[in-house]
Amino acid sequence: MPENEDENIGLAVDWSTQGFKAKIKSRFASALDRLGASKLDASNNVLDRKNAVGHALTGSYVSLIKAASQTIERQVEQDPAMAAKLLMSLSRAEKETENISASLDLAIQDLRNNPELGDHSEQTADTVDADMINRWERYAGEATSDVIREKWGKVLASEIRAPGTFSRQTLRIIDEIDPDVARLFERLCQNRFGSWIPVVTAGISEHEVDELQHAGLLLHYEFYATVTFNSTTRDNDNSHWWVLGNGERTVAVSKAAPKPTVAKLLPSMDDVRIEEGNLQINVHSLTRAGEAIATVINLDGVATVKRLANALVGKFGSENVVVLKRNDAQSFSPDAEWKPPEAV
């Protein structure tokens, strides 16, 4: 066995994209190329590109050392401060390379854990935008902690799944966001349906809403945005229901349920209400940057629907609310694992 074969086996396992869809492979390879990996004429080996990134990121520093070594001895005698600055620059560059490499490791791990494409169109790009990668490299180079490296790894993975997700402004927000606001936003997004969050399950104060709006994550509205439930009829008993779901679970409310009490001066200010025969809820709407950042936050879609169902039980009663799970493309059945709050 060659001397370095064990090392290569380990790297190949870590960086393998086997099982990924073609577009994921192509975009990840293009990201490595943008980061400085040499184009490989006859190979699509991601491991080769990963190793090339390291060579490209350090090559200029090695050249600098060679050039400096020819003059450093006599210049340092005249200007010791220059030598100190050079050493500091080399040390900083080495740390940046380590940070970028660690963030790349976490990106491939995230892709392996969730390889599904965020965009399902066959017309989407096979590469990742060069400007985005250049900016990502700058931010990832400053990622000195595991938490921050994981954040930037998730950003790159999300961009590979759906190119164009992260704008220049969004990357800046991610870099500059206050840690407490970031944790608040992560908590809010646990109740997210796409680009919005029901007010009844958001669990945040008006002050916290202001913080998220100021951070560029929530849209500013004089009044809440509104989402209307769909209407359906159950085949077995011809009963009528309002339904809303996220692809993993659906909450259904019987149209025979008593109307919820109007609690505020204007009906539109009530977080859950019935207007003109439609069930409506008030929602917090994410900005474009908020939507992009939300893609890097893990979401339990089943728990999200169940929390909304629990909130609706308080408005309509447990006998009028049910959580449904999909059996196939055409049918649903009650989720036996969900119990109304009163029955817990």
Side-chain angles (χ1 to χ4, degrees), residues 43-45 62 67 86 92 106 109 112 118 135 146 161 175 177 225 238 247 266 268 278 282 294 303 312 337 339 344:
S43 173
N44 288 323
N45 191 325
V62 173
L86 176 60
R92 183 166 56 250
L106 292 167
Q109 288 179 28
R112 186 180 296 116
R135 294 180 182 281
D146 290 340
R161 293 189 190 96
D175 181 58
I177 189 170
N238 205 37
L266 296 175
S268 62
N278 296 313
N282 287 339
L312 293 174
E337 295 182 359
K339 303 297 182 185
V344 175

Side-chain angles (χ1 to χ4, degrees), residues 140-200:
E142 298 175 354
T144 55
S145 71
D146 290 340
V147 172
I148 299 177
R149 289 170 175 174
E150 181 180 14
K151 175 178 69 176
W152 289 111
K154 286 179 175 291
V155 166
L156 181 59
S158 292
E159 182 69 16
I160 288 171
R161 293 189 190 96
T165 297
F166 295 93
S167 66
R168 180 182 305 183
Q169 178 190 18
T170 302
L171 292 176
R172 178 182 57 76
I173 291 174
I174 294 173
D175 181 58
E176 297 177 356
I177 189 170
D178 178 83
D180 289 337
V181 175
R183 284 188 287 270
L184 171 62
F185 185 66
E186 183 172 0
R187 175 161 59 86
L188 175 70
C189 285
Q190 298 310 306
N191 297 293
R192 177 174 64 89
F193 287 76
S195 63
W196 51 268
I197 301 94
V199 173
V200 290

Side-chain angles (χ1 to χ4, degrees), residues 29-154:
S30 76
L32 293 181
D33 289 334
R34 297 296 187 187
L35 288 168
S38 302
K39 292 285 186 179
L40 305 174
D41 294 334
S43 173
N44 288 323
N45 191 325
V46 174
L47 171 61
D48 291 341
R49 279 185 165 89
K50 194 266 185 178
N51 291 334
V53 170
H55 293 310
L57 289 171
T58 58
S60 60
Y61 310 142
V62 173
S63 298
L64 179 60
I65 292 172
K66 290 180 179 179
S69 64
Q70 299 175 8
T71 59
I72 193 67
E73 287 188 5
R74 65 176 178 273
Q75 289 190 11
V76 74
E77 293 179 359
Q78 302 173 4
D79 188 1
M82 189 194 77
K85 290 179 181 179
L86 176 60
L87 291 174
M88 288 177 63
S89 296
L90 292 172
S91 176
R92 183 166 56 250
E94 183 179 8
K95 290 177 181 177
E96 289 176 355
T97 301
E98 178 184 348
N99 295 337
I100 292 169
S101 180
S103 297
L104 280 169
D105 287 337
L106 292 167
I108 191 66
Q109 288 179 28
D110 192 78
L111 287 168
R112 186 180 296 116
N113 292 337
N114 182 18
E116 289 300 313
L117 289 167
D119 51 3
H120 301 286
S121 171
E122 291 299 320
Q123 305 303 316
T124 53
D126 291 329
T127 60
V128 180
D129 180 71
D131 182 63
M132 186 277 171
I133 293 299
N134 289 338
R135 294 180 182 281
W136 180 89
E137 179 181 12
R138 186 183 71 192
Y139 292 125
E142 298 175 354
T144 55
S145 71
D146 290 340
V147 172
I148 299 177
R149 289 170 175 174
E150 181 180 14
K151 175 178 69 176
W152 289 111
K154 286 179 175 291

